[in-house]
Amino acid sequence: GCGKNDEKASASSNPLAGKKIALIMRLNTGTFSAQYVDGVKKQIAKFGGEVTVLGSDNDLGKMTTNLESAVNQKFDGILLDHGDPNALTAGVNKAIAAGIPVVAFDSALNGVEGVTNLAQNDQKLAEFTLEKLAEEAGGKGNIVKVWVAGFPPMESRQISYKAFQGKYPDIKEIAAFGDASNPQLDTQNKLEAVLKQYPNKGDITAVWASWDEFAKGAANAIKQAGRDEIKVYGIDLSDEDLKMIQDPTSPWVASAAVDPASIGQVQVRYLYQKLNGDKTDSVVELEPVFVSRDMLPTDKVITTADLSQYVEGWGSSDLGNTDVLKQLETDVAAK
Amino acid sequence: MKKHLMPFTFKYGALLFIGLVIIFFSFQNEHFFTYNNITDILRSISIVTFVAIGVTIALAVDGFDLSVGATMSLSTVVTATLMVWYELPLVLVIVIPIVVGAIVGLLNSLLIVRIRIPDLLATLAVMYIVNGIHKTYTKGYSIYNNMPLSDGSTAPGKMREDFLWIGQGKLFGVPFPVILMLIAVIAMHLFFKYTRWGRQLIMTGGNEEAARLSGLRVKRVRTYAYIASGIFAAIGGILFAARIGSGQIDAGAPYLMEAVAAVFVGYSVFAAGRPNIIGTFVGAVLMGVMVNGMTMMNIDYFKTDIARGIVLVLALAVTFIHHNRKKA
Amino acid sequence: MKKHLMPFTFKYGALLFIGLVIIFFSFQNEHFFTYNNITDILRSISIVTFVAIGVTIALAVDGFDLSVGATMSLSTVVTATLMVWYELPLVLVIVIPIVVGAIVGLLNSLLIVRIRIPDLLATLAVMYIVNGIHKTYTKGYSIYNNMPLSDGSTAPGKMREDFLWIGQGKLFGVPFPVILMLIAVIAMHLFFKYTRWGRQLIMTGGNEEAARLSGLRVKRVRTYAYIASGIFAAIGGILFAARIGSGQIDAGAPYLMEAVAAVFVGYSVFAAGRPNIIGTFVGAVLMGVMVNGMTMMNIDYFKTDIARGIVLVLALAVTFIHHNRKKA
Amino acid sequence: MRNVSKSFGGVPALSGVDFDVRGGEIHALLGANGAGKSTLMKVLSGAYEADEGTVDIGGASFVFRSPADAKAAGIHCVYQEVDTSLVAHLSVSENIFLDRIASSSGDKWVKWGKLHEEARQLLRRLGLATLQPRTLVRDLTLSEKQLVLIARLLAQEAKFVILDEPTAPLSIEETEKLFVIMKGLKAAGIGVIFITHRLHEVFEVCDRVTIMRDGQRVLTEPASNMDAAGIVRAMLGRSFEEEFSKVPATIGETVLSVTGLEAGNRVRGVDLEVKRGEIIAVVGLVGAGKTELSRALFGADPVTKGAVAVAGREVRLRSPADAVQAGVALVPEERRKEGILVKSSVLHNLTLPTLRAMSSFGWMSGKKERGFANDQIRDLGIKTSSANQETGYLSGGNQQKVSIGKWLGTQTDVVLFDEPTKGVDVGAKRDIFRIIGTLAQQGKGIVYLTCEFTEALGLADRILVMCDGKIVKSFARGEATQEDLLYYASAGREEHA
Ligand SMILES: Nc1ncnc2c1ncn2[C@@H]1O[C@H](COP(=O)(O)OP(=O)(O)OP(=O)(O)O)[C@@H](O)[C@H]1O
Ligand SMILES: Nc1ncnc2c1ncn2[C@@H]1O[C@H](COP(=O)(O)OP(=O)(O)OP(=O)(O)O)[C@@H](O)[C@H]1O
Ligand SMILES: [Mg+2]
Ligand SMILES: [Mg+2]
């Protein structure tokens, strides 16, 4: 506790209301990030708190700086998104020493005492889609891989990909590319080149896109080239992606993901547990969900908010909720 | 003999070089030199060509425009929101982003021509501002059909089919963006070469003070140049939205450097040593050919950057070694 | 009276402006003007300041170096691999990346000084090449402790503790990178102001022909300037690795624009209208203060870009409105 | 120097030139524009590398590859183009000691106090005690810049000194001071090479004369053996009378009237009236404000007060474009920077002010353009290989003709000439006078601003003397002598000082 918040809290009946929370993100653009931020913001609003988003433009140096200035500014709690243990451990230790609880998502801060680590199982995400690909291709064929190194989740997904290659020797990778700076159109242009290189139907069985931004570009290229026999398997799912998967003319047929909004929601809940002084697990696994076109309704267009009705395990996560938190929500709502 | 050879390699060296690159790729892969692949390459460079034409125009009056990438991003999201949020008719969907681009150009020229902040500095500042504006406008979201809005409802509109055709359709078997690009390249080339206003731009770029003392309204000319630069960047943004069917955040950022690279390669075409439209187009083609050819050869993506840099150096070296030998 | 006021606002306008910004933030948030926060701000700008010093040196000889970001990226991954892959001693871990930076600078100067490719074009090409090289070197992976290698084994080394101290440690309660930065700023300022070589750089940048006619070997001077630029970018990269404890791919890319912005704001400090070290430092401080202060005020992170651009415009306008009024 | 040759892009500028200077003499190097004087001196001072030939000093043979080499041999040069050898944003002192700072030996640290003090002393020797060593060179006038370069020369330990047209921007007093300094150098055993287009200066200070024509040496003689007519004949290869054959023109109604014009720091209330067909010369010493007057009349600089009427109509000139529309044209003083675009072709330069007339509906007519350009090239006698030649490669006089020729297609009532003969050889000068006469005959009003009093006396219908920003005296043709003009031009100054 710090003195300043006690005064604020006294305005509200609940001691947990009116907290100032910092959300420190490594990447801060794109629909996935925006939905994740939304999840965080909504949940904190439900708890009567206030959130400040510190974006880092994919610069870990800036992220470290943001973390340190959040500690200096004496926020009540800190949320981390896509951090890196080497870069952040020092800052996180400083926060904990200052009594500020930290909950991290996909940051591999498992070595740090007192931090709760949310993780989406990236290897499993990749496995889901790759298995589906292998199944639909009948265990053989030529595939194109769209992937880029340099990002921890990508590197985890690559581990699954390697295993997949070992498991299905008859599935051959005929081309691989990927560029994170202009993911969608670059993929579109490059895949077009590959389609020209393999102009016959059946030359290419499927495209595995390790990121939804890649998948969108790949789907566009295939659709526009009229090569509808090629299927796209992606990872991650935003509202925009969902729309494409639902579209029967789109080559993108399946994706695996954790609901970005519910990641934010769960992360906030764990932070408030810590604020309440509860003992929390140091690792919380968010189970990925596999979504393919055949699971979705054909008669209407849905968003990720409605997805839980069709796909089991999506967005309905009550993970991290406690009675105290439920009470808090009602108190704040009552005000 | 030697005397004749030199100016020849000098003038056509860069073109020859590009020809060699194309021949190389054609031998590497039979599918490279096909009608479909060539039109694909041209389509893939259509957006960057528009942005690069903007950069060329600004450079013609001796001004560097760093804000084109940001302008393109802004134009992309504005285009998309006009359809998705506001369901406006096609004409407005095209005209409004162009007007927005012109306004950014006007802001640039205000800072450069009136307040006389040096071009690189002014356009850098505008780049920051416009980047901030376009993200603030969409709150960081990309714009797509019936996207959920922050009030919980969904957006009423979709990207219009007729709009998407601009980026994805074909006319007489040629992708429409390629047609647009060729029209723009030819028109701007003729503009610079044969019109009074084109000449005014070039002369202003040559020596602003001398041009002013010859009775040119150089401030006005430079203002128009930056506005044109903004408009071409905006067209790039519109095409981007039409091509991928949504309004991506920060879409234009990578296009700044690509466009600049194309323009710079263009300096060496016909040994101009100056910004010129045909050169810019050839530069864009070279870059597009490189990416396409290397993808077909399945070269690691990180190595393509090296190749691109080396090609740039070689093309420039061909020009400038001679260029300076002539002078010295 | 009015006559005296003008040059004053002109000369100190930019500094005054920065002072106002700081006072404003101090009133907005009690945590802003605290020792810890100030040292944090300084630490946060230490890397960009090194890169910006490199840019300043290149600009001092009237050359723009677009490759500093790429050089910084290369230096970061080289530094990290020297420890993680090769377990080299500290001295080599620091010296080798600096040598690499110098080599990049040498390549730049070769293209610019010998082949006489214009600076922007040459360094753009080198930027592509170096970006490609650093990614090819690590196959696109970032480098971290005991990372898995492509042959299935894990890397033998870790980032050394004494190395990490360079980026994260404190000396007499002051973060070590801040000390390094202050030393570099003061040393380079003295270098430019009081040493023969510093004056030779400025002379060359002011009027290369005049410097040459005065018997200066300007090619050599410009070569040294680009080498220095590469070295400072490399130091930025080393500090980055020490600060985040790993070797990130493409780490330097955002630093190019940030450094350029700092240098440009620096033009307006003391109304120099030219690149100068103190100005560059003040520019970096202003940028750091803005980011820090605005996050404290809970301003949307998109909007910080707008604010940054506007501040840049204002700082530049203060300088150049007067600058040109005087001349006109 | 022996057998020096140099060509630019295949065009020879020097072919097999021999040239010698002795220690302790002042040697005049003369020749028409483009004769190759500056090029020869640039070879001698290492600024250009010769294609062929050597420099022999005291028996040893050298090939200079850079200015540093020449300086090591004791050869120093003040180049014709002043701005190429100055760093504008540095102080006067630093510019004076540029060579010292540039050298690779000597102090590693720059001691500013000492430097300023030494500079102050040098400036005092040149009679520039008022000039502050800390002033930035970009704030100096052209003549002050020239003197800074001469001060730089004095700071060297030279064996040979080259002065390439140093007197062009200097006032009479300043020129006299320079001559004293040159004589001092001569007395110290230093060889001085002096380039000028003012022949009377040659007889005043020089011991020997070398004359060049078309990149070749024509003769070298003691100055006492020569007379002005002989020099001109040698320069041009034919005999030539420097005379002003004034073409009679009918004088019509008033075409330009200026009342109480104030602009900048140097134009302080000018009244002026020009009639059609009339040539008005405005004379004054350097710094009197002539250039600023011409710029203000052309809308190039803002006017603070006063009224201007062209052809009876009151006009407000906010920009040169306004002036052109009102019928005013200016041939500016600094032609390479302001008069022409050096990198553009002769054709593009000539048609620049008349783009509208050369085009229909915005489209340029190549035929009209070429026709106009070729007419001008023929009528004005512009020596160029073709209309597409880059203008920067023309000689000074021919560049000046382009700078004049571009206005001949416009509907002008008034043409302002600012020192159009500066640095122009006698042949080209005569051509320019002829053009001015023709313009007057066509009924245009001419304002001819100059500091060459003889030109004003020969050419003008009326002479106005300008001093310190004001017109102090007006003479009709034939009324004044050179002495009168000088008296009013400088007496006015004393009054105001
Ligand atoms: N850098 C250059 N490039 C091309 N041609 C040049 C260059 N410098 C000089 N010339 C040409 O060489 C010839 C000799 O020029 P130079 O400057 O030596 O003449 P000059 O005798 O000094 O004339 P002026 O009296 O006008 O100063 C001219 O025809 C000129 O156009
Ligand atoms: N922007 C300026 N900055 C500094 N000095 C200037 C500027 N403009 C003009 N001057 C100087 O002011 C002085 C007076 O101006 P002006 O050029 O009109 O005189 P002038 O009579 O034409 O002399 P000149 O014979 O040198 O052309 C000149 O010596 C000129 O060099
Ligand atoms: Mg000369
Ligand atoms: Mg003058």
Side-chain angles (χ1 to χ4, degrees):
Chain A
C2 33
K4 192 161 173 265
N5 285 299
D6 294 341
E7 315 161 11
K8 257 198 197 163
S10 65
S12 161
S13 55
N14 197 308
L16 284 176
K19 297 287 185 195
K20 272 174 64 198
I21 310 295
L23 168 60
I24 300 167
M25 304 174 72
R26 178 167 171 186
L27 267 169
N28 42 306
T29 47
T31 308
F32 185 93
S33 298
Q35 278 183 268
Y36 165 76
V37 173
D38 243 26
V40 170
K41 278 189 173 163
K42 284 208 176 111
Q43 189 61 42
I44 290 181
K46 280 188 195 160
F47 290 163
E50 189 192 331
V51 64
T52 300
V53 181
L54 294 91
S56 311
D57 300 319
N58 197 23
D59 174 357
L60 274 179
K62 207 179 226 174
M63 190 165 185
T64 336
T65 302
N66 280 336
L67 176 56
E68 272 154 7
S69 68
V71 175
N72 280 335
Q73 293 173 51
K74 305 197 166 48
F75 277 98
D76 298 312
I78 293 175
L79 300 169
L80 297 172
D81 166 43
H82 282 102
D84 175 282
N86 298 305
L88 298 182
T89 303
V92 169
N93 281 328
K94 224 164 128 185
I96 290 170
I100 305 172
V102 178
V103 179
F105 167 60
D106 254 5
S107 301
L109 284 163
N110 303 19
V112 186
E113 193 67 33
V115 178
T116 294
N117 286 282
L118 267 67
Q120 66 174 356
N121 192 331
D122 279 295
Q123 291 194 34
K124 213 162 175 182
L125 280 171
E127 248 171 64
F128 272 146
T129 48
L130 287 166
E131 281 299 330
K132 178 80 173 174
L133 187 159
E135 180 198 316
E136 294 192 353
K140 64 179 168 41
N142 297 327
I143 65 164
V144 176
K145 169 193 176 201
V146 194
W147 174 83
V148 65
F151 303 87
M154 288 292 179
E155 290 174 11
S156 297
R157 288 167 200 182
Q158 168 68 5
I159 295 171
S160 302
Y161 184 77
K162 274 228 158 127
F164 159 83
Q165 279 184 310
K167 191 168 161 194
Y168 299 101
D170 290 338
I171 296 183
K172 278 208 291 292
E173 174 192 302
I174 54 166
F177 51 83
D179 179 354
S181 71
N182 178 13
Q184 193 171 339
L185 194 54
D186 177 78
T187 303
Q188 198 170 331
N189 286 333
K190 284 181 176 159
L191 189 59
E192 271 164 6
V194 173
L195 290 176
K196 292 295 164 323
Q197 192 181 0
Y198 299 95
N200 305 316
K201 278 202 187 286
D203 281 351
I204 301 172
T205 320
V207 174
W208 182 66
S210 58
W211 183 20
D212 58 342
E213 295 292 323
F214 290 152
K216 281 186 271 186
N220 272 344
I222 292 168
K223 194 172 165 188
Q224 287 172 28
R227 298 280 292 272
D228 44 19
E229 85 281 5
I230 304 172
K231 290 192 175 125
V232 176
Y233 300 84
I235 292 181
D236 291 342
L237 193 64
S238 65
D239 287 312
E240 187 182 3
D241 304 341
L242 186 59
K243 215 153 246 119
M244 288 183 82
I245 295 176
Q246 259 196 300
D247 176 1
T249 64
S250 161
W252 189 359
V253 292
S255 194
V258 179
D259 178 16
S262 71
I263 296 172
Q265 211 176 9
V266 171
Q267 199 179 355
V268 171
R269 287 193 190 123
Y270 276 99
L271 186 71
Y272 272 75
Q273 283 192 29
K274 280 177 180 290
L275 284 171
N276 193 39
D278 300 355
K279 180 119 186 62
T280 55
D281 298 332
S282 69
V283 178
V284 177
E285 280 261 316
L286 295 162
E287 279 307 304
V289 175
F290 180 72
V291 179
S292 67
R293 184 175 300 153
D294 43 26
M295 300 172 171
L296 303 174
T298 49
D299 51 339
K300 63 172 180 179
V301 174
I302 59 167
T303 70
T304 47
D306 319 317
L307 194 60
S308 53
Q309 299 167 30
Y310 305 93
V311 180
E312 203 182 333
W314 181 268
S316 58
S317 179
D318 206 33
L319 209 58
N321 226 347
T322 64
D323 292 339
V324 178
L325 296 185
K326 283 177 188 151
Q327 184 58 42
L328 176 58
E329 274 189 37
T330 19
D331 284 357
V332 170
K335 258 194 72 189
Chain B
M1 186 61 224
K2 213 181 154 200
K3 268 210 158 163
H4 279 279
L5 198 65
M6 289 271 278
F8 179 81
T9 61
F10 172 46
K11 189 146 186 190
Y12 299 101
L15 279 185
L16 218 72
F17 180 75
I18 293 169
L20 287 179
V21 170
I22 292 178
I23 291 172
F24 171 77
F25 282 128
S26 305
F27 274 99
Q28 285 292 321
N29 195 305
E30 52 178 330
H31 302 294
F32 179 81
F33 205 76
T34 58
Y35 176 77
N36 277 334
N37 195 45
I38 304 267
T39 51
D40 267 4
I41 293 177
L42 290 178
R43 183 169 54 189
S44 75
I45 63 164
S46 57
I47 296 169
V48 78
T49 302
F50 272 95
V51 181
I53 289 177
V55 173
T56 310
I57 296 172
L59 278 170
V61 296
D62 201 23
F64 212 111
D65 188 350
L66 291 175
S67 70
V68 287
T71 308
M72 176 178 158
S73 302
L74 178 61
S75 152
T76 301
V77 296
V78 167
T79 307
T81 53
L82 291 180
M83 287 178 281
V84 173
W85 292 358
Y86 305 112
E87 299 179 278
L88 294 190
L90 187 64
V91 182
L92 291 179
V93 168
I94 291 167
V95 169
I96 293 176
I98 290 180
V99 171
V100 168
I103 291 172
V104 175
L106 198 65
L107 176 62
N108 277 323
S109 57
L110 192 83
L111 297 178
I112 296 167
V113 177
R114 297 280 148 206
I115 307 189
R116 303 210 226 164
I117 299 177
D119 52 343
L120 277 170
L121 288 69
T123 54
L124 181 80
V126 170
M127 181 191 89
Y128 278 119
I129 294 175
V130 173
N131 265 337
I133 287 175
H134 97 273
K135 285 184 213 161
T136 306
Y137 175 58
T138 68
K139 300 200 178 66
Y141 280 87
S142 292
I143 308 300
Y144 49 90
N145 295 345
N146 306 114
M147 63 187 285
L149 298 175
S150 51
D151 61 6
S153 65
T154 55
K158 286 187 166 215
M159 305 285 285
R160 303 171 57 99
E161 281 304 318
D162 47 6
F163 176 78
L164 294 179
W165 185 84
I166 295 174
Q168 302 172 11
K170 288 193 178 192
L171 206 64
F172 316 119
V174 184
F176 190 61
V178 174
I179 294 177
L180 283 181
M181 169 180 75
L182 293 178
I183 290 174
V185 167
I186 292 169
M188 289 314 294
H189 175 67
L190 295 178
F191 172 82
F192 272 113
K193 186 119 198 194
Y194 294 109
T195 73
R196 173 151 59 93
W197 305 286
R199 180 71 63 75
Q200 290 182 347
L201 284 173
I202 293 175
M203 296 306 262
T204 302
N207 178 345
E208 182 173 348
E209 183 61 9
R212 189 174 82 99
L213 292 178
S214 296
L216 282 197
R217 302 200 183 268
V218 288
K219 287 189 176 182
R220 198 176 297 173
V221 170
R222 297 183 73 206
T223 303
Y224 288 146
Y226 284 104
I227 291 177
S229 172
I231 288 176
F232 275 97
I235 296 176
I238 295 171
L239 279 183
F240 188 94
R243 182 117 164 76
I244 69 166
S246 64
Q248 292 295 315
I249 281 296
D250 256 342
Y255 284 83
L256 168 62
M257 281 297 176
E258 301 239 340
V260 169
V263 175
F264 284 175
V265 171
Y267 276 36
S268 53
V269 175
F270 304 126
R274 315 200 68 245
N276 67 98
I277 296 287
I278 297 294
T280 296
F281 176 61
V282 173
V285 169
L286 179 63
M287 292 293 164
V289 163
M290 297 277 300
V291 170
N292 182 287
M294 287 194 290
T295 307
M296 283 202 172
M297 287 174 65
N298 205 3
I299 291 179
D300 277 328
Y301 66 94
F302 30 81
K303 289 184 192 142
T304 58
D305 264 353
I306 305 185
R308 193 152 37 162
I310 290 174
V311 166
L312 198 55
V313 164
L314 290 178
L316 292 169
V318 166
T319 303
F320 286 96
I321 282 185
H322 286 284
H323 210 70
N324 294 304
R325 194 166 291 159
K326 205 176 92 187
K327 269 201 213 151
Chain C
M1 184 61 222
K2 213 182 157 200
K3 268 211 157 160
H4 280 279
L5 198 64
M6 290 271 277
F8 179 81
T9 60
F10 173 46
K11 189 147 186 187
Y12 298 102
L15 278 184
L16 217 71
F17 180 76
I18 293 168
L20 287 179
V21 170
I22 291 178
I23 291 172
F24 172 76
F25 283 132
S26 305
F27 275 99
Q28 285 291 322
N29 193 309
E30 54 180 326
H31 302 301
F32 180 82
F33 206 76
T34 58
Y35 177 77
N36 274 337
N37 196 47
I38 304 268
T39 51
D40 268 2
I41 293 176
L42 289 177
R43 183 167 51 189
S44 75
I45 63 165
S46 56
I47 296 169
V48 78
T49 302
F50 271 95
V51 181
I53 289 177
V55 173
T56 310
I57 296 172
L59 277 170
V61 297
D62 200 24
F64 212 111
D65 189 349
L66 291 175
S67 70
V68 287
T71 309
M72 176 178 156
S73 302
L74 177 61
S75 153
T76 300
V77 297
V78 167
T79 308
T81 53
L82 292 180
M83 288 179 282
V84 172
W85 293 357
Y86 306 113
E87 299 178 279
L88 294 190
L90 188 63
V91 182
L92 290 180
V93 167
I94 291 167
V95 169
I96 293 176
I98 290 181
V99 171
V100 168
I103 292 172
V104 175
L106 199 63
L107 177 61
N108 277 322
S109 56
L110 192 83
L111 296 179
I112 296 166
V113 178
R114 295 281 147 204
I115 306 190
R116 303 210 227 163
I117 299 177
D119 52 344
L120 277 170
L121 288 68
T123 55
L124 180 81
V126 170
M127 181 191 90
Y128 277 117
I129 294 176
V130 174
N131 266 337
I133 288 177
H134 95 274
K135 283 185 219 163
T136 306
Y137 174 59
T138 69
K139 298 202 177 64
Y141 283 84
S142 293
I143 307 300
Y144 48 91
N145 294 345
N146 305 116
M147 64 187 284
L149 297 177
S150 50
D151 61 7
S153 66
T154 56
K158 287 186 164 218
M159 304 285 284
R160 303 171 56 99
E161 279 304 317
D162 47 6
F163 176 78
L164 294 178
W165 184 85
I166 296 174
Q168 302 173 9
K170 289 194 177 192
L171 206 65
F172 318 118
V174 183
F176 189 62
V178 174
I179 295 177
L180 283 182
M181 169 181 74
L182 293 177
I183 290 174
V185 167
I186 293 168
M188 288 314 295
H189 174 68
L190 295 179
F191 171 81
F192 272 116
K193 182 112 201 200
Y194 293 108
T195 72
R196 196 174 70 210
W197 304 287
R199 299 317 293 180
Q200 291 180 349
L201 282 175
I202 289 179
M203 232 188 249
T204 306
N207 183 345
E208 183 171 348
E209 184 61 10
R212 191 178 79 89
L213 293 177
S214 288
L216 190 62
R217 307 212 178 264
V218 288
K219 289 189 176 182
R220 198 176 297 170
V221 170
R222 298 183 73 204
T223 303
Y224 288 144
Y226 284 104
I227 291 176
S229 173
I231 288 176
F232 275 96
I235 296 176
I238 296 172
L239 279 182
F240 189 89
R243 180 118 167 79
I244 68 164
S246 62
Q248 293 294 315
I249 280 300
D250 259 340
Y255 284 82
L256 168 62
M257 281 296 176
E258 302 238 338
V260 168
V263 174
F264 283 175
V265 172
Y267 276 35
S268 54
V269 174
F270 304 126
R274 313 208 75 246
N276 67 99
I277 296 287
I278 297 294
T280 296
F281 177 60
V282 172
V285 169
L286 179 64
M287 291 295 166
V289 163
M290 294 281 300
V291 170
N292 182 287
M294 285 194 292
T295 47
M296 284 206 173
M297 285 175 64
N298 199 4
I299 291 178
D300 230 341
Y301 54 88
F302 310 126
K303 290 185 190 140
T304 57
D305 262 353
I306 304 184
R308 191 151 41 158
I310 290 174
V311 165
L312 199 56
V313 165
L314 290 178
L316 292 169
V318 166
T319 304
F320 286 96
I321 281 185
H322 285 285
H323 211 68
N324 294 306
R325 192 164 294 158
K326 213 176 86 189
K327 267 201 215 152
Chain D
M1 300 177 80
R2 251 186 299 146
N3 194 25
V4 176
S5 297
K6 168 85 187 165
S7 58
F8 294 103
V11 182
L14 297 174
S15 33
V17 177
D18 296 328
F19 178 72
D20 72 286
V21 196
R22 303 176 191 140
E25 72 162 351
I26 300 178
H27 193 134
L29 181 58
L30 306 177
N33 290 128
K37 306 179 295 289
S38 299
T39 307
L40 185 68
M41 292 303 106
K42 282 181 180 167
V43 169
L44 180 57
S45 63
Y48 288 159
E49 242 183 275
D51 302 337
E52 242 180 277
T54 55
V55 178
D56 301 347
I57 302 170
S61 209
F62 295 85
V63 176
F64 297 142
R65 300 204 175 281
S66 72
D69 294 347
K71 281 181 200 290
I75 300 173
H76 292 270
C77 183
V78 173
Y79 295 97
Q80 182 176 7
E81 301 88 358
V82 174
D83 286 319
T84 58
S85 0
L86 291 167
V87 185
H89 68 91
L90 296 183
S91 65
V92 167
S93 333
E94 204 171 352
N95 270 289
I96 292 177
F97 294 107
L98 209 60
D99 294 36
R100 188 191 294 175
I101 294 167
S103 80
S104 48
S105 57
D107 285 349
K108 292 185 173 52
W109 295 90
V110 179
K111 299 188 184 71
W112 289 107
K114 198 168 140 239
L115 204 68
H116 290 315
E117 192 43 48
E118 283 180 53
R120 203 185 306 278
Q121 282 168 14
L122 275 174
L123 291 170
R124 206 167 293 149
R125 260 178 83 186
L126 283 167
L128 276 175
T130 52
L131 190 60
Q132 286 304 311
R134 278 170 221 270
T135 318
L136 300 187
V137 161
R138 67 163 176 238
D139 296 330
L140 300 186
T141 64
L142 189 59
S143 63
E144 284 170 330
K145 286 179 185 169
Q146 184 75 60
L147 292 167
V148 166
L149 287 180
I150 293 165
R152 182 189 291 173
L153 209 60
L154 298 180
Q156 312 292 336
E157 287 182 15
K159 285 199 204 121
F160 296 96
V161 161
I162 303 163
L163 296 161
D164 194 347
E165 292 196 38
T167 55
L170 295 186
S171 70
I172 294 169
E173 293 101 318
E174 286 164 338
T175 304
E176 287 306 326
K177 268 187 201 127
L178 174 62
F179 288 166
V180 172
I181 286 163
M182 282 163 65
K183 285 171 186 158
L185 293 172
K186 171 180 156 182
I190 295 170
V192 179
I193 302 167
F194 176 58
I195 300 179
T196 183
H197 284 286
R198 297 177 180 163
L199 297 187
H200 63 90
E201 294 176 352
V202 174
F203 300 110
E204 209 175 323
V205 285
C206 297
D207 302 309
R208 285 202 299 161
V209 178
T210 291
I211 297 176
M212 293 182 65
R213 186 170 73 228
D214 297 336
Q216 282 168 330
R217 191 183 59 128
V218 180
L219 62 81
T220 302
E221 290 279 344
S224 50
N225 290 1
M226 305 283 302
D227 61 7
I231 289 177
V232 170
R233 204 177 317 119
M235 273 165 65
L236 300 180
R238 60 191 150 89
S239 80
F240 179 86
E241 291 289 306
E242 187 168 1
E243 51 149 56
F244 307 95
S245 48
K246 173 134 177 46
V247 238
T250 40
I251 305 220
E253 82 276 24
T254 301
V255 69
L256 173 71
S257 87
V258 178
T259 40
L261 189 76
E262 289 184 24
N265 302 323
R266 314 255 175 181
V267 181
R268 308 175 185 171
V270 168
D271 299 317
L272 193 71
E273 198 159 287
V274 187
K275 299 198 170 63
R276 288 197 183 278
E278 193 181 29
I279 301 175
I280 300 281
V282 177
V283 300
L285 299 178
V286 169
K290 303 182 297 293
T291 297
E292 290 201 4
L293 172 62
S294 68
R295 287 177 63 88
L297 287 176
F298 191 54
D301 288 338
V303 171
T304 37
K305 226 188 206 168
V308 178
V310 180
R313 251 181 312 129
E314 184 93 357
V315 286
R316 274 196 58 108
L317 306 171
R318 281 194 211 80
S319 70
D322 291 342
V324 173
Q325 236 159 30
V328 181
L330 167 71
V331 177
E333 181 174 3
E334 288 199 43
R335 63 176 164 261
R336 280 186 75 89
K337 267 203 240 154
E338 302 176 333
I340 54 166
L341 287 90
V342 287
K343 290 232 172 83
S344 300
S345 66
V346 171
L347 178 112
H348 285 186
N349 266 293
L350 284 172
T351 57
L352 185 54
T354 44
L355 287 179
R356 190 182 291 273
M358 299 289 156
S359 60
S360 47
F361 304 107
W363 285 87
M364 298 300 299
S365 154
K367 218 173 102 196
K368 270 192 209 161
E369 275 200 284
R370 268 192 309 279
F372 177 76
N374 288 331
D375 285 352
Q376 298 311 321
I377 290 171
R378 194 189 55 236
D379 293 351
L380 303 181
I382 299 172
K383 284 198 201 74
T384 174
S385 59
S386 85
N388 296 322
Q389 168 88 3
E390 231 175 80
T391 313
Y393 292 136
L394 300 186
S395 79
N398 284 306
Q399 289 177 4
Q400 187 68 285
K401 287 181 191 171
V402 172
S403 173
I404 298 171
K406 70 179 181 189
W407 294 117
L408 301 184
T410 58
Q411 298 298 322
T412 46
D413 295 311
V414 180
V415 188
L416 313 167
F417 288 89
D418 191 8
E419 314 271 6
T421 57
K422 203 182 230 180
V424 167
D425 71 48
V426 279
K429 213 184 258 186
R430 194 178 51 174
D431 289 342
I432 290 169
F433 291 151
R434 181 176 52 79
I435 298 164
I436 292 174
T438 317
L439 289 173
Q441 264 181 331
Q442 292 167 3
K444 301 184 198 300
I446 308 289
V447 180
Y448 188 96
L449 306 113
T450 183
C451 55
E452 305 282 347
F453 296 157
T454 47
E455 292 181 4
L457 290 169
L459 198 68
D461 296 304
R462 212 143 46 82
I463 301 177
L464 306 179
V465 184
M466 188 168 186
C467 180
D468 211 14
K470 288 191 183 120
I471 304 291
V472 291
K473 186 74 186 167
S474 167
F475 293 102
R477 183 170 176 81
E479 232 177 62
T481 64
Q482 199 154 340
E483 284 68 38
D484 295 333
L485 297 181
L486 186 57
Y487 172 78
Y488 283 103
S490 44
R493 173 146 71 187
E494 275 159 26
E495 241 170 59
H496 283 81

